[in-house]
Amino acid sequence: MAHSHEAHHHERPRDLTRNQELVLTTLNNAEAPLSAYDILDKLRDEGLRAPLQVYRALEKLIEHGLAHRLESLNAFVCCADANCHGRASGTAAFAICSNCGRVDEFADPEVTARLAAWAGETGFALERTTIELRGRCAECRGAE
């Protein structure tokens, strides 16, 4: 089960295309992270026929800070932070349960600051940081 995004309300850009709105709604209603092909399968009845349509929509949603790509899963989730920390700081962190698939998004200012300090000390031009933690969520651990 994915992290619930119902309590998070982003101000949606007014210039989202129909495809971007469809993809965002699909991600927001998903029970787990979705691959681009999962999204395409869910939106075939809405007229989306090509993976490129989904990838273009996802690219714009990520650019607007409304979605994230989970690198290790090659899947996408809706941004769960109404303050769009990912877009503002370039840092997004996810705890992914390897048992049930739950994904919790979080931000830690101390981690962000330490990574920025390291980048500054080494001259590394930090553009974006995605941290993915793999393990078992409290609910799955409690069920054992």
Side-chain angles (χ1 to χ4, degrees), residues 4 11 18 23 30 33 38 43 57 64 82 92-93 95 100 106-107 117 120 126 131 133 137 140 143:
S4 172
E11 185 174 320
R18 178 179 179 276
V23 169
D38 293 334
L43 294 176
H64 286 300
C100 70
F106 63 96
L126 187 61
I131 300 169
L133 306 173
C137 69
C140 288

Side-chain angles (χ1 to χ4, degrees), residues 113-126:
R114 292 190 74 171
L115 291 171
W118 174 86
E121 291 167 8
T122 62
F124 186 78
L126 187 61

Side-chain angles (χ1 to χ4, degrees), residues 54-137:
V54 174
Y55 281 114
R56 284 182 181 155
L58 286 166
E59 182 180 312
K60 287 298 181 184
L61 294 173
I62 291 168
E63 186 178 297
H64 286 300
L66 298 171
H68 297 287
R69 180 173 185 264
L70 300 175
E71 306 284 339
S72 65
L73 300 177
N74 194 23
F76 301 86
V77 293
C78 233
C79 180
D81 185 342
N83 296 316
C84 296
H85 64 81
R87 185 176 58 197
S89 69
T91 301
F94 304 92
I96 303 167
C97 180
S98 56
N99 187 52
C100 70
R102 177 186 178 96
V103 176
D104 286 311
E105 180 179 349
F106 63 96
D108 185 319
E110 187 174 326
V111 170
T112 300
R114 292 190 74 171
L115 291 171
W118 174 86
E121 291 167 8
T122 62
F124 186 78
L126 187 61
E127 296 171 0
R128 167 176 72 99
T129 303
T130 303
I131 300 169
E132 296 183 24
L133 306 173
R134 298 297 298 255
R136 292 189 333 254
C137 69

Side-chain angles (χ1 to χ4, degrees), residues 33-54:
L34 298 175
S35 73
Y37 285 92
D38 293 334
I39 296 167
L40 181 61
D41 288 343
K42 291 180 180 295
L43 294 176
R44 284 193 193 279
D45 290 342
E46 297 292 336
L48 272 74
R49 301 278 185 253
L52 188 56
Q53 292 174 292
V54 174

